[in-house]
Amino acid sequence: MIPIYVPDFKKKLNLVAHHTGYKNIAAISAEMGVKEPTLRSWTKAHTGRREGMVSKKGREPVISFFCAQLPHLSEKSIIALLEGPYDDMAAAFLSVGQSSLSELIDEEAVFDEAEIIIGHEGRFEAGYKGFSRDGWANFLEETSARVIPFDDPKPSHQVPMGTYFRFEFRQVHRAKYFLALQQSSQGWTVIAGSPDKEAKIVRVPSARGKDITVLCEDHDYGDSRFTLIQSTRPFPDFIHINLKDGIPLSRTEIAFLTEYLQGLSKSDRTFQAVDVHFCQIP
């Protein structure tokens, strides 16, 4: 039997306590069948030994204990979580008994309450060099693609790569907070949305004052799902950091957001979604 190295071991034990109700490390050690001083010693660095280095004799009790806490996962998966980063373990505990974010959207989203508008206030442009304005105009004429209602089956909502586009969603009564998500092969990205009270719509991306803003997909070819979440409650603080810095959601952040949304009553949350296929310019 070989030792096992568990980085952030103390934090991972705290996860167990938080999600399963163990009062303290003494309760965990009793359940694990390991003396409390021994378990504590594995959570601290010592001369010649890293924090999280579990002895040969402790390997099996530690693995068995975590397998019991996450029974839906295989022993191989548990070992990978123990040896892997803290965020992956946190996401595993958050996902227990919960639908994934994509499943939540599938279950609750309405798919017929949005329009996609290609172009920017009547000016249609392409991001690729050599694609002329006349060529773009011809493409629009052929496809009648300035405003595409989402009445057709997937994947009929196509947007050429490198072109401007934006969304207008129906505003939900009582909603005060607006967050859009793009789910693609690259992961999840957050996008701000802003209401237009007179028009009773929510613009995605957010307007800047009176100026309409647009999106442009330059590299993620293929299918994406855009989801607007309208809520009567503010979103978690980390969402604002992602919006400000323009960074994708991590697996842990996705799990936390899912847990937060599921904690809202259905009257406080509304999902509206649009499936888009980003195609090459003809």
Side-chain angles (χ1 to χ4, degrees), residues 4 59 63 67 73-84:
I4 183 172
R59 177 188 174 93
I63 292 173
C67 284
L73 298 179
S74 67
E75 181 176 303
K76 183 178 179 180
S77 297
I78 293 297
I79 293 173
L81 289 174
L82 286 168
E83 295 180 328

Side-chain angles (χ1 to χ4, degrees), residues 207-227:
R208 294 173 182 168
K210 295 183 179 180
D211 295 330
I212 301 296
T213 58
V214 293
L215 300 168
C216 184
E217 184 58 70
D218 290 316
H219 63 277
D220 201 359
Y221 173 83
D223 296 333
S224 281
R225 171 167 290 178
F226 292 85
T227 303

Side-chain angles (χ1 to χ4, degrees), residues 232-266:
T232 63
R233 307 290 183 183
F235 294 100
D237 289 341
F238 69 82
I239 290 294
H240 304 291
I241 297 173
N242 289 85
L243 286 170
K244 180 181 178 181
D245 295 341
I247 56 176
L249 292 172
S250 69
R251 281 174 289 185
T252 302
E253 288 168 335
I254 293 167
F256 272 118
L257 178 60
T258 306
E259 182 182 48
Y260 170 79
L261 292 171
Q262 289 181 321
L264 297 176
S265 66
K266 289 191 176 182

Side-chain angles (χ1 to χ4, degrees), residues 27-276:
I28 292 176
S29 65
E31 182 70 21
M32 196 180 289
V34 173
K35 292 181 179 179
E36 182 182 347
T38 302
L39 181 57
R40 288 188 182 276
S41 72
W42 295 334
T43 67
K44 300 175 182 178
H46 297 272
T47 302
R49 189 177 71 187
R50 291 181 293 179
E51 176 276 333
M53 183 59 70
V54 177
S55 68
K56 295 179 182 179
K57 291 184 178 180
R59 177 188 174 93
E60 190 59 38
V62 168
I63 292 173
S64 297
F65 174 77
F66 276 87
C67 284
Q69 311 313 312
L70 297 166
H72 63 294
L73 298 179
S74 67
E75 181 176 303
K76 183 178 179 180
S77 297
I78 293 297
I79 293 173
L81 289 174
L82 286 168
E83 295 180 328
Y86 168 81
D87 282 355
D88 288 356
M89 180 71 79
F93 273 100
L94 283 170
S95 65
V96 173
Q98 297 182 4
S99 300
S100 69
L101 183 54
S102 58
E103 289 173 340
L104 183 61
I105 293 169
D106 278 337
E107 292 169 2
E108 296 192 19
V110 177
F111 284 82
D112 60 357
E113 295 185 343
E115 284 185 331
I116 178 170
I117 301 174
I118 300 178
H120 185 237
E121 296 302 288
R123 296 186 296 106
F124 299 95
E125 304 174 45
Y128 290 145
K129 293 181 180 179
F131 191 76
S132 68
R133 189 178 297 273
D134 290 342
W136 179 232
N138 290 337
F139 169 73
L140 291 171
E141 184 177 352
E142 291 172 3
T143 60
S144 300
R146 195 181 91 82
V147 179
I148 304 177
F150 288 98
D151 298 326
D152 303 324
K154 299 182 299 183
S156 61
H157 318 313
Q158 299 190 30
V159 175
M161 296 282 288
T163 64
Y164 294 136
F165 66 99
R166 61 185 176 88
F167 300 99
E168 293 182 354
F169 292 85
R170 179 185 66 83
Q171 185 176 357
V172 175
H173 179 60
R174 292 179 61 239
K176 296 180 180 179
Y177 303 94
F178 310 91
L179 175 69
L181 302 169
Q182 179 183 4
Q183 181 189 12
S184 70
S185 60
Q186 302 298 315
W188 293 83
T189 303
V190 291
I191 309 167
S194 62
D196 182 330
K197 294 182 180 179
E198 292 184 4
K200 295 183 180 180
I201 60 172
V202 179
R203 302 186 192 279
V204 175
S206 289
R208 294 173 182 168
K210 295 183 179 180
D211 295 330
I212 301 296
T213 58
V214 293
L215 300 168
C216 184
E217 184 58 70
D218 290 316
H219 63 277
D220 201 359
Y221 173 83
D223 296 333
S224 281
R225 171 167 290 178
F226 292 85
T227 303
L228 175 67
I229 306 171
Q230 301 188 49
S231 174
T232 63
R233 307 290 183 183
F235 294 100
D237 289 341
F238 69 82
I239 290 294
H240 304 291
I241 297 173
N242 289 85
L243 286 170
K244 180 181 178 181
D245 295 341
I247 56 176
L249 292 172
S250 69
R251 281 174 289 185
T252 302
E253 288 168 335
I254 293 167
F256 272 118
L257 178 60
T258 306
E259 182 182 48
Y260 170 79
L261 292 171
Q262 289 181 321
L264 297 176
S265 66
K266 289 191 176 182
S267 62
D268 288 324
R269 70 190 191 206
T270 302
F271 299 87
Q272 297 158 293
V274 175
D275 289 324
V276 175

